[in-house]
Amino acid sequence: MPNAIEPPSESPARLGAAYALLADADVDRPWRPIAGGTDLMVQVTGEIGEPPERVLDIWALDELRGIDVESDALVLGALTTYTELRRSPVVAEHLPSLVEAAATIGAAQIQNRATIGGNVMNASPAGDTLPVLLACGAEMVLGSASGERTVRADAFWTGYRTTARRLDELLLRIRIPLSPGRQVRFRKIGTRRAQAISKVVMALAWRASAVDQPWTDVRLALGSVAATTVRAQGAEAVLEGASPIRETADAATAALVAELRPIDDVRSTADYRRAVAGRVLHRLIRDAGGW
Ligand SMILES: Cc1cc2nc3c(=O)[nH]c(=O)nc-3n(C[C@H](O)[C@H](O)[C@H](O)COP(=O)(O)OP(=O)(O)OC[C@H]3O[C@@H](n4cnc5c(N)ncnc54)[C@H](O)[C@@H]3O)c2cc1C
């Protein structure tokens, strides 16, 4: 008798073979790709989330690996693990806030196996890399037998744990534009320093010619405060064109607290999330301004 918690699976060694399987995108029995399995395996029993009908193991697909800088972007293969991110001199040089985010995820066992592509595709509002990707204007490159397409982070997470991916597609890589002079800061608030799901997670990106100069291209992204990772456009509008002085921090914090609509849940209350998000933003601006 088949084991009820062991769905049928395939482990293609080549991308073309994976695409061929995915082309059979039966909506009643869709293939669920499995990368590190750290999210999917906890769903297999059906106690948490939708159990997979059929599992497509993508671990052997080398086309989904690698960390590169290509012209004006940092390009991360979907199968890049958090340990690889943490050890990469390229990521440390170009996007240290992503290294910081990776370091907060799970503990060493999770970081050795879990992938950034899995974090993106799991689409949890608490996914810790998502605010960094959203604040940096990342683009998700999806592939299928009919070719590749690119979806910007702004349009990628379409709702609670849903994405713009079609059933016949895989996430191949993530392109993160590298913008000269851009600064990015990351901060996660959880119950503990490790093995904690975020109560609030934030990334703030901006460009400035010097520490005390006005900010441009400001993007503020938050997780765990809505059904998806979101941008706080009210606070962004306050920060755009302003210098990182106390008055700016006060006004941006007020705007953020006014626009956030978090929920109460097992991890935190809405009031706490709103208050702590405001304080974190204030602190990030203060640190950036050096006052
Ligand atoms: C103990 C523990 C602690 C954790 N701590 C954190 C934490 O602190 N912060 C955090 O953000 N997360 C945390 N997680 C969640 C998880 O580790 C991350 O979301 C991780 O990045 C998922 O990656 P994975 O490779 O394991 O994904 P998988 O479990 O393999 O897949 C996750 C989802 O993405 C899909 N998928 C994966 N890769 C692709 C692809 N290339 N193309 C299309 N679909 C794909 C799968 O079908 C599945 O729906 C934790 C999990 C555990 C078990």
Side-chain angles (χ1 to χ4, degrees):
M1 190 179 139
N3 183 338
I5 64 165
E6 243 179 52
S9 65
E10 292 281 351
S11 303
R14 304 307 303 253
L15 190 55
Y19 285 163
L21 288 161
L22 286 162
D24 166 22
D26 178 346
V27 284
D28 295 324
R29 296 180 67 236
W31 287 102
R32 287 283 294 282
I34 187 167
T38 61
D39 277 314
L40 197 67
M41 288 309 290
V42 295
Q43 298 166 19
V44 162
T45 61
E47 289 162 87
I48 304 171
E50 222 21 63
E53 292 283 344
R54 297 189 286 182
V55 171
L56 186 70
D57 179 3
I58 59 174
W59 197 253
L61 301 179
D62 287 339
E63 296 92 334
L64 275 59
R65 297 195 182 278
I67 297 175
D68 291 302
V69 173
E70 288 174 7
S71 60
D72 56 352
L74 175 66
V75 183
L76 306 173
L79 289 175
T80 304
T81 66
Y82 298 116
T83 298
E84 287 167 342
L85 285 176
R86 293 188 67 182
R87 290 181 179 166
S88 165
V90 174
V91 183
E93 179 187 345
H94 293 284
L95 195 53
S97 57
L98 191 59
V99 177
E100 278 180 57
T104 71
I105 293 179
Q109 299 92 329
I110 293 293
Q111 291 174 12
N112 284 340
R113 185 72 192 180
T115 64
I116 190 165
N119 207 224
V120 167
M121 294 311 307
N122 193 53
S124 161
D128 284 319
T129 65
L130 278 45
V132 178
L133 299 179
L134 186 56
C136 293
E139 298 167 341
M140 314 306 164
V141 182
L142 296 159
S144 71
S146 50
E148 294 187 8
R149 68 184 178 114
T150 298
V151 182
R152 287 168 51 100
D154 281 318
F156 194 76
W157 297 292
T158 49
Y160 181 68
R161 291 182 177 271
T162 59
T163 73
R165 171 190 171 248
R166 295 194 316 254
L167 289 180
D168 65 338
E169 289 177 316
L170 288 176
L171 177 67
L172 304 180
R173 55 192 176 273
I174 301 160
R175 288 187 83 257
I176 306 168
L178 295 173
S179 184
R182 182 179 63 196
Q183 300 283 322
V184 188
R185 299 288 182 274
F186 169 84
R187 184 77 193 277
K188 166 175 171 172
I189 305 295
T191 308
R192 302 175 293 262
R193 289 176 74 86
Q195 297 285 27
I197 307 290
S198 300
K199 294 168 186 277
V200 172
V201 54
M202 180 184 293
L204 175 63
W206 73 92
R207 294 201 306 150
S209 57
V211 168
D212 58 349
Q213 288 303 297
W215 288 6
T216 57
D217 297 334
V218 180
R219 296 172 72 106
L220 175 60
L222 292 101
S224 288
V225 295
T228 61
T229 305
V230 290
R231 280 176 62 186
Q233 290 177 327
E236 287 178 359
V238 172
L239 289 165
E240 187 70 33
S243 302
I245 57 175
R246 182 182 297 278
E247 290 72 19
T248 305
D250 291 346
T253 298
L256 178 64
V257 170
E259 73 185 301
L260 284 187
R261 298 273 180 279
I263 56 163
D264 291 311
D265 69 8
V266 288
R267 288 199 299 280
S268 194
T269 63
D271 284 347
Y272 178 83
R273 288 186 156 113
R274 215 180 283 111
V276 84
R279 290 181 72 94
V280 168
L281 178 63
H282 203 276
R283 171 66 70 93
L284 291 182
I285 298 167
R286 191 186 81 183
D287 289 351
W291 41 274

